[in-house]
Amino acid sequence: MNLAAIKQQAWRKLDEDPAAPVYFTADLMLAAINEGLNIYSSLTLSVEKVVSVPVSGTFTNLLATIPRLLVPLKVYRGSTRLRPSVIDEFAAIDPYWRLAAGTPDSYAMLGATLFVVNRKPSSPVSLTMTYAATAADLASDSDTPEIPLDDHIALVHYAIWKLSAIAGGGEFVSAREHLDRFLEIAKARAESNRARSRQIGLDRRPPELKAIG
Amino acid sequence: MTHSQTQAIWWLNALNAADLVFWTEPQLWEYSSEAVLALCREHEVLPEILADITVPPATSFVQMDMRCVRPLAVFHRSVDGGTEVIRQTRRATMADIEALGDTWQTDEGNFITDFAQWRGEDTLAVYPRMRTGRTVSLQVVGAVLPADVSGAAATSVDLPEALRPLVNLATVAAARAHEGPARMPEVAAQLQQAADLVAGVLGALWGN
C-alpha cells in the first residue's frame, strides 16, 4: 500500500470521506501514520540500512551522522566482521586498550549513539555498518512504507487509535482494539525477525515485548 | 530530531499555540522534557564523553558533571615521562572498595584502578588515591540527561529520531492528565501506556 491507500482505509474506518475529510485532516492523518511507522520500526527492527562509518579514534558519536539509528546489526571492516562486545570486556583484555593502536576487531555501543571500537586505528578506517533504522517518514501519496507489505495494515490501525484520542470518551476506549491489533502485528513481525536474526547471525534482535510488559 | 509542539497541539484540539485554551506551550515543553529526562534517567540511553576531572593528590572522592546519571566507563588519564596514559578503571560498588581494607582512603598509588558511585549520583569514590605531588585526570563516559529539552524556545533537540513518538505521546498524555475542564483520564492513561511501551523498547535496545 502507498500512503494514499493507507490514509483512505483509515479515513473510511473513521467514517470520514477520504476525498474531503473534515474532522481528521490530512495533516493529522499523516502525523499519526508516521508515528505508527516510527514505533513499528523500534518494535520490530524491520528496517535495515547500510552506511559507511568513518572511524579515526576509539569513540565515534553516531547521532549526527545516523539520526535514525536504532542498533547496529553487523559491522564489517572490508570483508572482516567485527565482533559485538561490551566496553568492560575491552578493559578486561587490556586496561590500556584506548591507546592500543591497531586494527579494530570488536565493537560496542554505549547508549543509543556512542560507537566504540577496541583499538585505535593508526589511520582512519571506514567500516560498513548494517543497522536497524527508524523508517523514513512518508510525505507524498505515492510513498510506500519501508516495512513489509503484509504489515502496512498495522499503520491503518495505529492511525485510527491515535486519531480517536482527539475526541476521547467512549469512541477512544473502543478504539483500543486498533492499538491492540497494531501491537499484535508488530509482535508477530518481531518474533519472525528474532528467528531470522538468529538464523543469519545478526548482532541484535528485536526486544521481547513480554519482557517489557 | 527537531521537535516542535505542533503535533501535540493538534492532538489537544488546537490549531497552534495561540489556539491552546487549557494549556500553554511552555507547559507542553515541560511535559516533553519530563518524558525525555525520565527515559534518559531510567534507561541511560544518552552517552557523552564528559570533560576531564582533575584528581589532585590525596583525593578519594571526586564530583562528576551534574548531568551524569551513571558513569558507563571511567578512565585514568595522565602523562608520564612524556607519554600519554589512558587506563580504564574497574567498576565497583562502595562495598567492594571498602572491602579493600580499612585503609582504602589512604592507600596511595600511581594509577586509579577502581571507581564506585558514592552516595547518590554525582560523586565517585576512586581507589587508590594519588601519591603526594601527582595530579591526574579522570575521564568519565557517562549516561547524561540532555541539557536542552526545556523552555518554550527549544525547538531543536539533539536526540535520536526514534524518541519522537515517545515525546509526542507522553506530552499529550500529561496534558490530558492535567486537572481542569480538558482533562481526559482515559486518553491520558492509554497514551501514557503507549509511551511507556516505547520507552521500554528503546531502553531494551539502548540501555546498559
Side-chain angles (χ1 to χ4, degrees), chain B residues 43-68:
Chain B
H43 298 292
E44 304 160 359
V45 300
L46 205 62
E48 193 172 304
I49 301 170
L50 299 164
D52 284 7
I53 303 166
T54 302
V55 186
T59 302
S60 297
F61 296 99
V62 295
Q63 202 73 21
M64 282 195 298
D65 186 322
M66 292 291 281
R67 293 184 305 118
C68 182

PDB file of all heavy atoms in Angstrom, chain B residues 43-68:
ATOM      1  N   HIS B  43      16.886   4.609  31.643  1.00  0.00           N
ATOM      2  CA  HIS B  43      17.494   3.648  30.706  1.00  0.00           C
ATOM      3  C   HIS B  43      18.884   4.040  30.234  1.00  0.00           C
ATOM      4  O   HIS B  43      19.485   3.321  29.444  1.00  0.00           O
ATOM      5  CB  HIS B  43      16.570   3.444  29.506  1.00  0.00           C
ATOM      6  CG  HIS B  43      15.242   2.860  29.879  1.00  0.00           C
ATOM      7  ND1 HIS B  43      15.099   1.585  30.340  1.00  0.00           N
ATOM      8  CD2 HIS B  43      14.010   3.396  29.905  1.00  0.00           C
ATOM      9  CE1 HIS B  43      13.820   1.342  30.598  1.00  0.00           C
ATOM     10  NE2 HIS B  43      13.139   2.436  30.343  1.00  0.00           N
ATOM     11  N   GLU B  44      19.377   5.190  30.672  1.00  0.00           N
ATOM     12  CA  GLU B  44      20.769   5.583  30.397  1.00  0.00           C
ATOM     13  C   GLU B  44      21.092   5.522  28.909  1.00  0.00           C
ATOM     14  O   GLU B  44      22.073   4.919  28.488  1.00  0.00           O
ATOM     15  CB  GLU B  44      21.707   4.670  31.185  1.00  0.00           C
ATOM     16  CG  GLU B  44      21.405   4.693  32.668  1.00  0.00           C
ATOM     17  CD  GLU B  44      21.946   3.482  33.395  1.00  0.00           C
ATOM     18  OE1 GLU B  44      22.545   2.616  32.751  1.00  0.00           O
ATOM     19  OE2 GLU B  44      21.764   3.407  34.609  1.00  0.00           O
ATOM     20  N   VAL B  45      20.223   6.131  28.124  1.00  0.00           N
ATOM     21  CA  VAL B  45      20.353   5.979  26.679  1.00  0.00           C
ATOM     22  C   VAL B  45      21.291   6.994  26.028  1.00  0.00           C
ATOM     23  O   VAL B  45      21.749   6.783  24.920  1.00  0.00           O
ATOM     24  CB  VAL B  45      18.990   6.049  25.968  1.00  0.00           C
ATOM     25  CG1 VAL B  45      18.068   4.957  26.445  1.00  0.00           C
ATOM     26  CG2 VAL B  45      18.335   7.400  26.141  1.00  0.00           C
ATOM     27  N   LEU B  46      21.541   8.109  26.718  1.00  0.00           N
ATOM     28  CA  LEU B  46      22.272   9.188  26.056  1.00  0.00           C
ATOM     29  C   LEU B  46      23.692   9.289  26.619  1.00  0.00           C
ATOM     30  O   LEU B  46      23.897   9.852  27.688  1.00  0.00           O
ATOM     31  CB  LEU B  46      21.507  10.500  26.287  1.00  0.00           C
ATOM     32  CG  LEU B  46      21.727  11.568  25.252  1.00  0.00           C
ATOM     33  CD1 LEU B  46      21.253  11.109  23.882  1.00  0.00           C
ATOM     34  CD2 LEU B  46      20.993  12.841  25.641  1.00  0.00           C
ATOM     35  N   PRO B  47      24.669   8.753  25.918  1.00  0.00           N
ATOM     36  CA  PRO B  47      26.033   8.763  26.440  1.00  0.00           C
ATOM     37  C   PRO B  47      26.794  10.019  26.014  1.00  0.00           C
ATOM     38  O   PRO B  47      26.513  10.588  24.962  1.00  0.00           O
ATOM     39  CB  PRO B  47      26.654   7.531  25.799  1.00  0.00           C
ATOM     40  CG  PRO B  47      25.954   7.429  24.486  1.00  0.00           C
ATOM     41  CD  PRO B  47      24.574   8.014  24.640  1.00  0.00           C
ATOM     42  N   GLU B  48      27.723  10.420  26.822  1.00  0.00           N
ATOM     43  CA  GLU B  48      28.524  11.594  26.463  1.00  0.00           C
ATOM     44  C   GLU B  48      29.916  11.437  27.073  1.00  0.00           C
ATOM     45  O   GLU B  48      30.048  10.940  28.192  1.00  0.00           O
ATOM     46  CB  GLU B  48      27.849  12.854  27.012  1.00  0.00           C
ATOM     47  CG  GLU B  48      28.396  14.127  26.447  1.00  0.00           C
ATOM     48  CD  GLU B  48      27.569  15.353  26.882  1.00  0.00           C
ATOM     49  OE1 GLU B  48      26.342  15.365  26.643  1.00  0.00           O
ATOM     50  OE2 GLU B  48      28.174  16.264  27.467  1.00  0.00           O
ATOM     51  N   ILE B  49      30.914  11.856  26.324  1.00  0.00           N
ATOM     52  CA  ILE B  49      32.273  11.877  26.885  1.00  0.00           C
ATOM     53  C   ILE B  49      32.402  13.208  27.604  1.00  0.00           C
ATOM     54  O   ILE B  49      32.393  14.268  26.984  1.00  0.00           O
ATOM     55  CB  ILE B  49      33.336  11.744  25.773  1.00  0.00           C
ATOM     56  CG1 ILE B  49      33.112  10.433  25.012  1.00  0.00           C
ATOM     57  CG2 ILE B  49      34.736  11.809  26.364  1.00  0.00           C
ATOM     58  CD1 ILE B  49      33.948  10.300  23.750  1.00  0.00           C
ATOM     59  N   LEU B  50      32.468  13.151  28.914  1.00  0.00           N
ATOM     60  CA  LEU B  50      32.417  14.374  29.719  1.00  0.00           C
ATOM     61  C   LEU B  50      33.806  14.987  29.861  1.00  0.00           C
ATOM     62  O   LEU B  50      34.825  14.314  29.627  1.00  0.00           O
ATOM     63  CB  LEU B  50      31.826  14.046  31.092  1.00  0.00           C
ATOM     64  CG  LEU B  50      30.397  13.488  31.022  1.00  0.00           C
ATOM     65  CD1 LEU B  50      29.997  12.822  32.330  1.00  0.00           C
ATOM     66  CD2 LEU B  50      29.416  14.594  30.670  1.00  0.00           C
ATOM     67  N   ALA B  51      33.819  16.245  30.259  1.00  0.00           N
ATOM     68  CA  ALA B  51      35.095  16.937  30.450  1.00  0.00           C
ATOM     69  C   ALA B  51      35.894  16.235  31.546  1.00  0.00           C
ATOM     70  O   ALA B  51      35.330  15.747  32.530  1.00  0.00           O
ATOM     71  CB  ALA B  51      34.829  18.386  30.848  1.00  0.00           C
ATOM     72  N   ASP B  52      37.215  16.192  31.359  1.00  0.00           N
ATOM     73  CA  ASP B  52      38.077  15.525  32.343  1.00  0.00           C
ATOM     74  C   ASP B  52      37.934  16.160  33.722  1.00  0.00           C
ATOM     75  O   ASP B  52      37.742  17.373  33.850  1.00  0.00           O
ATOM     76  CB  ASP B  52      39.545  15.630  31.899  1.00  0.00           C
ATOM     77  CG  ASP B  52      39.854  14.659  30.772  1.00  0.00           C
ATOM     78  OD1 ASP B  52      38.906  14.011  30.261  1.00  0.00           O
ATOM     79  OD2 ASP B  52      41.034  14.543  30.400  1.00  0.00           O
ATOM     80  N   ILE B  53      38.055  15.313  34.735  1.00  0.00           N
ATOM     81  CA  ILE B  53      38.019  15.784  36.127  1.00  0.00           C
ATOM     82  C   ILE B  53      39.451  15.706  36.662  1.00  0.00           C
ATOM     83  O   ILE B  53      40.100  14.660  36.546  1.00  0.00           O
ATOM     84  CB  ILE B  53      37.111  14.876  36.982  1.00  0.00           C
ATOM     85  CG1 ILE B  53      35.693  14.810  36.399  1.00  0.00           C
ATOM     86  CG2 ILE B  53      37.096  15.333  38.437  1.00  0.00           C
ATOM     87  CD1 ILE B  53      34.841  13.694  36.989  1.00  0.00           C
ATOM     88  N   THR B  54      39.907  16.793  37.245  1.00  0.00           N
ATOM     89  CA  THR B  54      41.256  16.784  37.818  1.00  0.00           C
ATOM     90  C   THR B  54      41.223  16.079  39.168  1.00  0.00           C
ATOM     91  O   THR B  54      40.357  16.345  40.000  1.00  0.00           O
ATOM     92  CB  THR B  54      41.755  18.235  38.002  1.00  0.00           C
ATOM     93  OG1 THR B  54      41.720  18.854  36.715  1.00  0.00           O
ATOM     94  CG2 THR B  54      43.164  18.284  38.566  1.00  0.00           C
ATOM     95  N   VAL B  55      42.172  15.170  39.369  1.00  0.00           N
ATOM     96  CA  VAL B  55      42.250  14.460  40.648  1.00  0.00           C
ATOM     97  C   VAL B  55      43.598  14.787  41.294  1.00  0.00           C
ATOM     98  O   VAL B  55      44.638  14.234  40.919  1.00  0.00           O
ATOM     99  CB  VAL B  55      42.121  12.926  40.450  1.00  0.00           C
ATOM    100  CG1 VAL B  55      42.057  12.224  41.801  1.00  0.00           C
ATOM    101  CG2 VAL B  55      40.904  12.579  39.595  1.00  0.00           C
ATOM    102  N   PRO B  56      43.574  15.704  42.276  1.00  0.00           N
ATOM    103  CA  PRO B  56      44.829  16.051  42.944  1.00  0.00           C
ATOM    104  C   PRO B  56      45.269  14.931  43.895  1.00  0.00           C
ATOM    105  O   PRO B  56      44.505  13.998  44.144  1.00  0.00           O
ATOM    106  CB  PRO B  56      44.475  17.324  43.732  1.00  0.00           C
ATOM    107  CG  PRO B  56      43.018  17.538  43.575  1.00  0.00           C
ATOM    108  CD  PRO B  56      42.433  16.421  42.776  1.00  0.00           C
ATOM    109  N   PRO B  57      46.481  15.035  44.447  1.00  0.00           N
ATOM    110  CA  PRO B  57      46.939  14.017  45.392  1.00  0.00           C
ATOM    111  C   PRO B  57      46.002  13.923  46.598  1.00  0.00           C
ATOM    112  O   PRO B  57      45.311  14.891  46.921  1.00  0.00           O
ATOM    113  CB  PRO B  57      48.314  14.519  45.830  1.00  0.00           C
ATOM    114  CG  PRO B  57      48.698  15.540  44.827  1.00  0.00           C
ATOM    115  CD  PRO B  57      47.463  16.099  44.244  1.00  0.00           C
ATOM    116  N   ALA B  58      46.006  12.793  47.233  1.00  0.00           N
ATOM    117  CA  ALA B  58      45.255  12.569  48.478  1.00  0.00           C
ATOM    118  C   ALA B  58      43.755  12.828  48.323  1.00  0.00           C
ATOM    119  O   ALA B  58      43.112  13.356  49.219  1.00  0.00           O
ATOM    120  CB  ALA B  58      45.834  13.443  49.601  1.00  0.00           C
ATOM    121  N   THR B  59      43.219  12.467  47.176  1.00  0.00           N
ATOM    122  CA  THR B  59      41.783  12.670  46.932  1.00  0.00           C
ATOM    123  C   THR B  59      41.109  11.324  46.672  1.00  0.00           C
ATOM    124  O   THR B  59      41.535  10.587  45.777  1.00  0.00           O
ATOM    125  CB  THR B  59      41.575  13.581  45.700  1.00  0.00           C
ATOM    126  OG1 THR B  59      42.241  14.812  45.945  1.00  0.00           O
ATOM    127  CG2 THR B  59      40.110  13.840  45.438  1.00  0.00           C
ATOM    128  N   SER B  60      40.090  11.022  47.452  1.00  0.00           N
ATOM    129  CA  SER B  60      39.381   9.743  47.266  1.00  0.00           C
ATOM    130  C   SER B  60      37.983   9.929  46.690  1.00  0.00           C
ATOM    131  O   SER B  60      37.342   8.944  46.314  1.00  0.00           O
ATOM    132  CB  SER B  60      39.256   9.002  48.595  1.00  0.00           C
ATOM    133  OG  SER B  60      40.525   8.677  49.080  1.00  0.00           O
ATOM    134  N   PHE B  61      37.506  11.164  46.664  1.00  0.00           N
ATOM    135  CA  PHE B  61      36.159  11.416  46.128  1.00  0.00           C
ATOM    136  C   PHE B  61      36.228  12.559  45.130  1.00  0.00           C
ATOM    137  O   PHE B  61      36.878  13.574  45.383  1.00  0.00           O
ATOM    138  CB  PHE B  61      35.187  11.798  47.258  1.00  0.00           C
ATOM    139  CG  PHE B  61      34.975  10.682  48.250  1.00  0.00           C
ATOM    140  CD1 PHE B  61      35.666  10.671  49.451  1.00  0.00           C
ATOM    141  CD2 PHE B  61      34.095   9.644  47.973  1.00  0.00           C
ATOM    142  CE1 PHE B  61      35.484   9.638  50.357  1.00  0.00           C
ATOM    143  CE2 PHE B  61      33.915   8.608  48.882  1.00  0.00           C
ATOM    144  CZ  PHE B  61      34.611   8.605  50.084  1.00  0.00           C
ATOM    145  N   VAL B  62      35.576  12.393  43.986  1.00  0.00           N
ATOM    146  CA  VAL B  62      35.521  13.474  43.000  1.00  0.00           C
ATOM    147  C   VAL B  62      34.073  13.695  42.578  1.00  0.00           C
ATOM    148  O   VAL B  62      33.237  12.796  42.649  1.00  0.00           O
ATOM    149  CB  VAL B  62      36.382  13.179  41.751  1.00  0.00           C
ATOM    150  CG1 VAL B  62      37.854  13.111  42.104  1.00  0.00           C
ATOM    151  CG2 VAL B  62      35.930  11.907  41.057  1.00  0.00           C
ATOM    152  N   GLN B  63      33.829  14.910  42.146  1.00  0.00           N
ATOM    153  CA  GLN B  63      32.480  15.310  41.737  1.00  0.00           C
ATOM    154  C   GLN B  63      32.339  15.147  40.222  1.00  0.00           C
ATOM    155  O   GLN B  63      33.193  15.610  39.476  1.00  0.00           O
ATOM    156  CB  GLN B  63      32.301  16.788  42.118  1.00  0.00           C
ATOM    157  CG  GLN B  63      30.884  17.240  42.259  1.00  0.00           C
ATOM    158  CD  GLN B  63      30.254  16.688  43.547  1.00  0.00           C
ATOM    159  OE1 GLN B  63      30.949  16.312  44.478  1.00  0.00           O
ATOM    160  NE2 GLN B  63      28.935  16.625  43.567  1.00  0.00           N
ATOM    161  N   MET B  64      31.250  14.491  39.811  1.00  0.00           N
ATOM    162  CA  MET B  64      31.013  14.363  38.366  1.00  0.00           C
ATOM    163  C   MET B  64      30.138  15.522  37.892  1.00  0.00           C
ATOM    164  O   MET B  64      29.519  16.214  38.690  1.00  0.00           O
ATOM    165  CB  MET B  64      30.260  13.062  38.069  1.00  0.00           C
ATOM    166  CG  MET B  64      31.102  11.829  38.078  1.00  0.00           C
ATOM    167  SD  MET B  64      30.202  10.473  37.309  1.00  0.00           S
ATOM    168  CE  MET B  64      28.781  10.267  38.356  1.00  0.00           C
ATOM    169  N   ASP B  65      30.053  15.661  36.577  1.00  0.00           N
ATOM    170  CA  ASP B  65      29.112  16.591  35.964  1.00  0.00           C
ATOM    171  C   ASP B  65      27.715  16.269  36.511  1.00  0.00           C
ATOM    172  O   ASP B  65      27.306  15.104  36.548  1.00  0.00           O
ATOM    173  CB  ASP B  65      29.161  16.361  34.442  1.00  0.00           C
ATOM    174  CG  ASP B  65      28.346  17.361  33.647  1.00  0.00           C
ATOM    175  OD1 ASP B  65      27.243  17.736  34.110  1.00  0.00           O
ATOM    176  OD2 ASP B  65      28.799  17.752  32.562  1.00  0.00           O
ATOM    177  N   MET B  66      26.979  17.293  36.895  1.00  0.00           N
ATOM    178  CA  MET B  66      25.651  17.089  37.488  1.00  0.00           C
ATOM    179  C   MET B  66      24.679  16.386  36.541  1.00  0.00           C
ATOM    180  O   MET B  66      23.716  15.773  36.964  1.00  0.00           O
ATOM    181  CB  MET B  66      25.036  18.437  37.889  1.00  0.00           C
ATOM    182  CG  MET B  66      25.727  19.127  39.034  1.00  0.00           C
ATOM    183  SD  MET B  66      25.469  18.246  40.573  1.00  0.00           S
ATOM    184  CE  MET B  66      23.831  18.778  40.998  1.00  0.00           C
ATOM    185  N   ARG B  67      24.935  16.520  35.230  1.00  0.00           N
ATOM    186  CA  ARG B  67      24.004  15.906  34.265  1.00  0.00           C
ATOM    187  C   ARG B  67      24.210  14.402  34.141  1.00  0.00           C
ATOM    188  O   ARG B  67      23.403  13.702  33.551  1.00  0.00           O
ATOM    189  CB  ARG B  67      24.194  16.542  32.885  1.00  0.00           C
ATOM    190  CG  ARG B  67      23.776  17.997  32.836  1.00  0.00           C
ATOM    191  CD  ARG B  67      23.897  18.546  31.425  1.00  0.00           C
ATOM    192  NE  ARG B  67      25.220  18.374  30.866  1.00  0.00           N
ATOM    193  CZ  ARG B  67      25.482  17.653  29.781  1.00  0.00           C
ATOM    194  NH1 ARG B  67      24.536  17.038  29.134  1.00  0.00           N
ATOM    195  NH2 ARG B  67      26.711  17.555  29.325  1.00  0.00           N
ATOM    196  N   CYS B  68      25.311  13.900  34.707  1.00  0.00           N
ATOM    197  CA  CYS B  68      25.628  12.478  34.552  1.00  0.00           C
ATOM    198  C   CYS B  68      24.821  11.652  35.554  1.00  0.00           C
ATOM    199  O   CYS B  68      24.907  11.873  36.760  1.00  0.00           O
ATOM    200  CB  CYS B  68      27.124  12.267  34.762  1.00  0.00           C
ATOM    201  SG  CYS B  68      27.615  10.562  34.526  1.00  0.00           S
TER     202      CYS B  68
END
